[in-house]
Amino acid sequence: ERRTGELPGADGTGEVGLEAGEAGTQLAVRLMLKLRHDRIDKVRFQVFGCGFTIAACAAAAELADGLRLPEALNLTPARVDALLEGLPAERDYCADLAIAALHSAVRSVGVSGTLTSVLCPAEQEQGAMISPEHPVYRLLMESPPGDFAPEDRHFLACVLSMAISEPSSSAASLGLSDAQFSDLLTCGFPAVDIQALRCLDGSVGEAPPEINEEILAILLSHMPEEPSMMSRLLPRILAARAAHPGHLWTAMGLFDRPQLSAAIRGHLPSLAEANSQGMRWKRYLFKQLCDASGAMLCKAPNCGVCSDYALCFAPEETHD
């Protein structure tokens, strides 16, 4: 039985991360319960988040089905993780979200049918992680130009600066093969001493966050018919950086959010056209994934009247 979607006449409803105006909170979950006698008879959930969160909610719903309310309150994220045979370490919080929504729904039962909401720990609205004075950025940008346009050199210098500071290989941090990474450096920064760059590399052999292959497929579907090198590299870089927490432009090391939109308009124009309302890019990509799965959470018939507008749309950019 499918457990996604609405549950009319729910006896209890719990939400996580859905308070109006809480821009930057973690992924949003709603879970609904209907009782029969003193047991949970039906469970439904809605998710505005990644595939791991959807899976965690499905697992929590399966575990809760048929339980008495006190038993449901005893369910833990570890039980969800065990049912899924282990979430990736960087996605452990998905089980926390699912259980928090379940417990919230249970506690709302009998309280005049009211919905109970709790907030996830907020992700801080971080500013730019890379500045013009960053040593890798300076090394790259002060080198003689290669084949890329100046704005693309800046873009790549930012993402390279972020990748080199992380505890995994720079190529893996950008979702690129070694050959693709070498081509990027050769074409974009041909005079840079690769060995000098590697001396600044913070790699200690850790694996980067796992790329969501469905998100990558969405991005690759927008590659132009005759792609430039940037058009070929950008979907993989975007997918890799979208696997990191926080806002996508921050995870890419850019100076501000409009630089990300400009790069997408320039090299993946059909993607920019598809996101015509200017939704935050990570939100937009995961919304496409959730639409396809049938587990999307949207609380209003259109974005303009939704209380979660600030979660999805950035005030820093305006769109026609």
Side-chain angles (χ1 to χ4, degrees), residues 38-56:
D38 62 345
R39 293 183 180 273
I40 296 171
D41 183 55
K42 292 183 180 179
V43 188
R44 296 289 184 275
F45 66 89
Q46 294 173 299
V47 173
F48 193 174
C50 67
F52 290 107
T53 307
I54 295 170

Side-chain angles (χ1 to χ4, degrees), residues 154-177:
H154 161 73
F155 182 95
L156 292 170
C158 287
V159 296
L160 281 165
S161 298
M162 282 295 289
I164 285 171
S165 69
E166 293 172 348
S168 53
S169 79
S170 299
S173 290
L174 298 181
L176 304 177
S177 67

Side-chain angles (χ1 to χ4, degrees), residues 33-82:
L33 307 174
K34 185 172 284 189
L35 304 183
R36 185 176 182 182
H37 304 304
D38 62 345
R39 293 183 180 273
I40 296 171
D41 183 55
K42 292 183 180 179
V43 188
R44 296 289 184 275
F45 66 89
Q46 294 173 299
V47 173
F48 193 174
C50 67
F52 290 107
T53 307
I54 295 170
C57 286
E62 181 177 341
L63 290 167
D65 196 3
L67 296 183
R68 293 184 172 88
L69 295 183
E71 295 171 332
L73 285 174
N74 287 329
L75 291 176
T76 64
R79 291 284 304 280
V80 170
D81 188 69

